[in-house]
Amino acid sequence: MRLASLVLACLLPAAASAADTTRIPYAAFETADTLRERALADDTAWTLVESLTTEIGPRLPGSEADARAVAWAQAKLRELGYDRVWTEPVRFPTWERRSERAEVLGDHAQPLLVTALGGSPGGTVDAEIVRFDSIEALQAAPAGSLDGRIAFVDYDMERTRDGSGYGKAGAVRSRGPSEAIRKGAIGYLMRSIGTSPHRVANTGITRFDEGLEPIPSAALSLMDADQLTRLLRRGPVRVRLALDCGWTGAEYTSHNVIGEITGREAPDEVVLIAGHLDSWDLGTGAIDDASGVGITMAAGHLIGQLPQRPRRTIRVVAFANEEQGLIGAREYARRHAEAVSDHVLAAESDFGAGRIYGFSTGAPAHAQAASQRIAEALAPLGIEHLPGKGGPGPDISPLAAIGGTWAWLGQDGSGYFDLHHNADDTLDKIDPDALAQNVAAYAVFAWLAAEAEGDFGSAPKPAAAP
């Protein structure tokens, strides 16, 4: 009896664990196969991206085009047969770009190709430049060493498939201007965070630390950064930087646009897939992020065309104002915080339209077998299960921070930063076949996550200590 009791005691936890393990019914995979093949032959995403970039064009947050994009997204979701479509307001200050120019002065006078950083004030500065090869070198400069000068940070970003080079370079734009001010600089120039072989400059948001007086801040094309470096080898270089841009002082209300394919059994539980509707103003925002909007809208639409609705609701969100600091995503997480447990799994397409090569989730152990099964259904698309890799997309990160479980469908970003935040981000750079592969992956993923029996670990996180 004692041995039998011991055996039973050992078996009961295993049985309970097996009962709690998230699983996906076999029949769901047959439907996933159908979805995958339909998506690969479907052009809905291409049609959506073409429409958004052609009819609306660039969508700077707070601009007139921002409002047209919101109306466009609502109309398209309704046309695509979503069961429910609505908007949620998002408020933020507005920044405008009006004009920008720069030139080398003196014996080697010549123009430079620059673009103002988002958040930069306007103004004209005429001063000698001081070059630094990294943000760390700028930070190490003595206080006052840049008095009356323009700081020039010439950090060369590495090209990578997963975008990790961008993470290493990001501080040059986000913290560089504030560091330059602390050293006495009156202007700031940086080598663009990008890998483009063309003479284009990459914009993006910067912030100035509280208590500092902002200075005109701009990015140079890679070629112009190289030119400045060559000129500096010949002696001191003086540059005039003239920017007409800045915060308008007005508050603007945009909207997150949301569409749902309602679940047949658990309509209050959602699988969220998303992109962001806004873009910078230099190109037409094709890869950043009209492609993500088109991919996720098309994936939800294809699921909605099935004979049977998914068990859970598929929710597609086109987030407002990602570019100036995840404004729409933060508002969404605040508004839906009490329902974070009902956000079963969330994924964002915001890394262009390159083919998806990897998949993982942030799910706990009891749901990892289900994640593996989803990966198996994605494998025919050339997608590998890469547990431990990836993470939440930018707009998913506020939801993940309060306890939502993320999924990662990793796109090949080897060429993404040739186009990111610059004038070359236009429709012609998108491969329709690669776009369709993305739609197939998102449709299969969302369908299987919605059909899963059991959870993927979403639960409220305790508030951080003050």
Side-chain angles (χ1 to χ4, degrees):
M1 287 291 293
R2 181 173 296 179
L3 180 59
S5 297
L6 183 60
V7 171
L8 182 62
C10 291
L11 289 176
L12 280 175
S17 176
D20 293 338
T21 298
T22 301
R23 60 177 296 275
I24 303 173
Y26 177 78
F29 291 94
E30 294 182 332
T31 302
D33 290 343
T34 300
L35 265 177
R36 184 177 61 242
E37 298 311 311
R38 286 184 182 174
L40 289 173
D42 185 78
D43 68 352
T44 300
W46 174 264
T47 300
L48 288 167
V49 176
E50 191 274 345
S51 173
L52 181 55
T53 56
T54 303
E55 297 164 25
I56 309 300
R59 305 166 299 282
L60 191 68
S63 66
E64 179 270 342
D66 185 316
R68 287 192 290 120
V70 168
W72 175 92
Q74 293 177 78
K76 291 300 180 184
L77 286 167
R78 292 188 177 105
E79 289 174 17
L80 292 169
Y82 280 74
D83 300 318
R84 184 180 173 218
V85 178
W86 76 98
T87 63
E88 295 175 352
V90 179
R91 285 189 62 77
F92 48 84
T94 57
W95 180 87
E96 290 182 347
R97 182 195 316 277
R98 292 175 286 273
S99 68
E100 52 206 7
R101 67 182 188 278
E103 58 186 323
V104 174
L105 305 174
D107 292 343
H108 305 295
Q110 57 189 281
L112 298 169
L113 195 147
V114 298
T115 188
L117 299 182
S120 172
T124 299
V125 292
D126 179 336
E128 183 179 332
I129 64 168
V130 179
R131 179 185 177 275
F132 302 90
D133 62 10
S134 66
I135 186 71
E136 291 79 12
L138 173 59
Q139 290 170 327
S145 61
L146 296 182
D147 285 352
R149 297 177 177 180
I150 297 171
F152 165 40
V153 180
D154 190 24
Y155 179 81
D156 193 1
M157 176 184 154
E158 181 185 3
R159 184 189 297 274
T160 58
R161 182 170 73 161
D162 64 358
S164 56
Y166 183 66
K168 295 175 183 176
V172 177
R173 191 180 71 219
S174 62
R175 301 207 315 269
S178 292
E179 292 294 338
I181 294 167
R182 291 190 179 93
K183 309 302 180 182
I186 60 171
Y188 183 78
L189 287 171
M190 59 173 282
R191 183 186 188 91
S192 281
I193 301 178
T195 55
S196 176
H198 300 150
R199 196 183 183 194
V200 292
N202 301 53
T203 190
I205 197 70
T206 191
R207 304 287 181 189
F208 296 91
D209 293 345
E210 190 173 347
L212 299 179
E213 184 67 27
I215 58 176
S217 301
L220 293 148
S221 83
L222 307 189
M223 295 75 188
D224 289 83
D226 289 341
Q227 184 80 330
L228 274 186
T229 296
R230 286 191 293 269
L231 285 169
L232 283 166
R233 295 190 189 116
R234 290 162 165 78
V237 176
R238 194 171 187 87
V239 166
R240 178 179 294 128
L241 173 65
L243 305 180
D244 183 8
C245 57
W247 299 102
T248 68
E251 286 278 319
Y252 180 83
T253 300
S254 187
H255 296 83
N256 291 329
V257 184
I258 305 170
E260 284 187 346
I261 302 298
T262 306
R264 67 179 188 275
E265 293 179 14
D268 293 334
E269 296 180 8
V270 301
V271 174
L272 187 152
I273 54 177
H276 67 84
L277 195 54
D278 63 307
S279 78
W280 285 106
D281 51 328
L282 303 180
T284 60
I287 64 130
D288 187 20
D289 186 32
S291 58
V293 171
I295 288 162
T296 52
M297 282 188 178
H301 162 69
L302 288 170
I303 292 171
Q305 297 300 297
L306 294 170
Q308 178 176 254
R309 285 294 192 255
R311 194 171 80 81
R312 297 183 173 101
T313 291
I314 306 295
R315 179 177 292 176
V316 175
V317 183
F319 285 112
N321 200 350
E322 184 269 352
E323 296 295 1
Q324 295 177 1
L326 315 180
I327 310 299
R330 295 180 195 278
E331 174 58 20
Y332 181 92
R334 184 198 68 79
R335 184 180 291 263
H336 296 274
E338 292 185 1
V340 67
S341 296
D342 293 330
H343 287 69
V344 175
L345 209 51
E348 178 186 23
S349 176
D350 184 19
F351 198 45
R355 288 183 177 272
I356 294 172
Y357 67 89
F359 171 77
S360 67
T361 74
H366 73 266
Q368 278 301 317
S371 296
Q372 172 67 44
R373 293 286 282 138
I374 294 172
E376 290 168 6
L378 295 173
L381 295 168
I383 298 170
E384 184 180 358
H385 191 209
L386 298 173
K389 300 289 187 181
D395 281 316
I396 301 303
S397 59
L399 189 66
I402 61 172
T405 303
W406 54 265
W408 171 73
L409 290 91
Q411 293 155 307
D412 188 334
S414 301
Y416 179 70
F417 291 101
D418 291 354
L419 311 171
H420 181 250
H421 293 183
N422 70 40
D424 275 349
D425 182 7
T426 49
L427 179 67
D428 55 296
K429 311 308 188 306
I430 295 178
D431 176 356
D433 291 337
L435 192 70
Q437 186 254 14
N438 276 253
V439 176
Y442 268 87
V444 167
F445 154 73
W447 167 259
L448 292 176
E451 288 293 294
E453 296 172 354
D455 66 81
F456 285 85
S458 291
K461 285 186 177 178

